[in-house]
Amino acid sequence: MVPVSNGHCPEADSLGFTSRLFAPFADKSFEIEMKHFDDTESLITVRDWLRFAVSRFNEARLFFGHGSDNAFDEAVYLILHTLHLPLDRLDPFLDASLTRDESEQVQAIIERRVKERIPAAYLTHEAWLGEYRFYVDERVIVPRSFIAGLLHEQLAPWIEAPDEVLSTLDLCTGSGCLAILAALAFPDSRVDAVDLSRDALAVATRNIADYALTDRIEVVESDLFTALEGRTYDVILSNPPYVNAESVAMLPPEYRAEPVLALGSGEDGLDATRRILAGAKAHLRPCGLLLVEIGHNRDALEAAYPDLPFTWLDTEGGDQFVFMLRREDLPDR
């Protein structure tokens, strides 16, 4: 069992919230839940604290989807991270006893997860896309994208010669994770990491430095293509906001902790995607590719653009989430 995020969770990607959305914060049941944290003296081992955490998470009916999709995996991750243990090796440490200081640290992070209802990634300041770790905080959405898996394969078979990709754009870069993965996938490419949020770009800059890619990735403050006049690319990637207004209104606390700018995109969730489709052709080189993630908006998008020959790419979640278009298929402005 490896309790680290692969960047995908069915609940997180669908934003359909098939589980209970959130527990009330000011009722008697919540008071009872918090009283458990006053009676932890008998918890000695990792196994004890893991059981306690799973019980508290389930009792509080937390919402998952930022790296794990269930109480057990999230509890394992938070405990191992707090104890500075390997995230993929739980069994050897299950019956290890904790010091008093370690117990206090583990209790504190479990208590914060229950009381504050913020994503685990914000508690640990890290998120994972496969084997790649990124720094995150409340200034950026927690990384999760089906495009990440496609980049691991260098966009094969759509890109036949990865060394010929010389310029890449990541629109709505957030933490910079896709820009970094693109730079790793296409080692001869320069990458522009674009976001409207200065706060997000500060986080992206930190991650880019962590991967020693500052000489190849440029962060650009821009409202989509606005500040990119004259720049063209072989590949444009985007995981833009795509949550529709109805779903935004129903977001559980864990998602409301994220920047709203990175989630909602108009009544049908397609406002940003429309602008990307309108502007992408002017910024793609001949035979260039556009890849955009749109969540569960495939039907709405195809209805809005019945003449566009979308190619829906196979991802580990299915062929509903990421579309590709070549430059020649895109409409002019």
Side-chain angles (χ1 to χ4, degrees):
M1 191 278 296
V2 181
V4 297
S5 169
N6 63 4
H8 305 302
C9 164
E11 288 180 312
D13 287 310
S14 69
L15 288 176
F17 307 121
T18 54
S19 64
R20 187 177 183 275
L21 295 188
F22 56 90
F25 286 89
D27 60 13
K28 291 183 179 180
S29 65
F30 183 70
E31 294 176 4
I32 293 172
E33 292 165 15
M34 298 312 297
K35 285 182 179 179
H36 289 297
F37 291 95
D38 296 327
D39 182 24
T40 59
E41 292 83 0
S42 62
L43 304 179
I44 305 298
T45 66
V46 171
R47 189 187 301 273
D48 293 337
W49 281 104
L50 177 58
R51 195 284 307 161
F52 178 81
V54 174
S55 294
R56 300 292 73 78
F57 292 173
N58 284 333
E59 182 181 35
R61 291 172 287 183
L62 300 184
F63 188 87
F64 307 102
H66 293 91
S68 60
D69 62 2
N70 62 83
F72 179 81
D73 284 351
E74 185 133 319
V76 169
Y77 166 66
L78 287 174
I79 291 170
L80 292 177
H81 179 276
T82 301
L83 296 175
H84 308 287
L85 294 171
L87 297 181
D88 59 349
R89 298 190 66 194
L90 170 65
D91 290 349
F93 306 105
L94 272 172
D95 295 310
S97 298
L98 275 62
T99 67
R100 180 177 299 177
D101 182 63
E102 287 175 332
S103 292
E104 290 176 353
Q105 292 179 46
V106 169
Q107 175 167 335
I109 201 165
I110 295 169
E111 188 169 346
R112 285 196 68 194
R113 182 66 182 91
V114 171
K115 185 176 182 179
E116 299 179 37
R117 307 298 285 269
I118 62 176
Y122 290 158
L123 296 174
T124 63
H125 293 303
E126 71 175 16
W128 295 79
L129 290 176
E131 63 185 277
Y132 296 96
R133 176 192 178 277
F134 302 97
Y135 172 85
V136 295
D137 60 32
E138 287 84 352
R139 292 174 290 177
V140 294
I141 193 171
V142 177
R144 50 189 183 273
S145 176
F146 288 114
I147 294 175
L150 298 172
L151 288 172
H152 295 330
E153 303 297 325
Q154 298 178 297
L155 301 185
W158 311 106
I159 298 292
E160 296 181 357
D163 58 335
E164 294 180 5
V165 176
L166 303 180
S167 184
T168 304
L169 169 62
D170 175 25
L171 280 178
C172 308
T173 194
S175 62
C177 56
L178 292 184
I180 290 166
L181 294 181
L184 296 175
F186 307 119
D188 294 315
S189 179
R190 294 191 58 82
V191 181
D192 285 347
V194 171
D195 207 286
L196 178 61
S197 166
R198 290 186 181 181
D199 284 341
L201 291 177
V203 175
T205 298
R206 174 173 177 164
N207 282 317
I208 292 165
D210 286 346
Y211 279 87
L213 289 169
T214 53
D215 61 332
R216 293 182 51 215
I217 302 178
E218 179 183 356
V219 297
V220 181
E221 182 182 347
S222 179
D223 183 3
L224 297 180
F225 297 110
T226 303
L228 302 179
E229 187 68 30
R231 302 194 189 196
T232 59
Y233 306 92
D234 296 306
V235 176
I236 297 176
L237 311 168
S238 187
N239 184 15
Y242 55 66
V243 185
N244 63 46
E246 181 181 2
S247 294
V248 167
M250 298 174 62
L251 290 173
E254 285 84 350
Y255 281 90
R256 293 204 300 269
E258 297 184 290
V260 65
L261 184 68
L263 293 170
S265 191
E267 191 65 27
D268 62 359
L270 292 175
D271 282 4
T273 302
R274 289 188 183 91
R275 293 180 60 201
I276 291 169
L277 288 172
K281 189 168 188 175
H283 295 278
L284 278 170
R285 296 172 179 172
C287 300
L289 300 182
L290 170 69
L291 281 79
V292 181
E293 184 167 333
I294 60 159
H296 278 256
N297 292 330
R298 174 173 175 171
D299 289 345
L301 184 67
E302 290 184 325
Y305 295 90
D307 296 326
L308 284 186
F310 295 107
T311 296
W312 295 94
L313 304 185
D314 288 330
T315 71
E316 61 186 56
D319 64 352
Q320 302 289 315
F321 307 107
V322 179
F323 70 78
M324 183 194 74
L325 289 167
R326 296 191 180 275
R327 181 188 186 278
E328 291 70 24
D329 299 326
L330 285 162
D332 294 318
R333 285 183 180 272

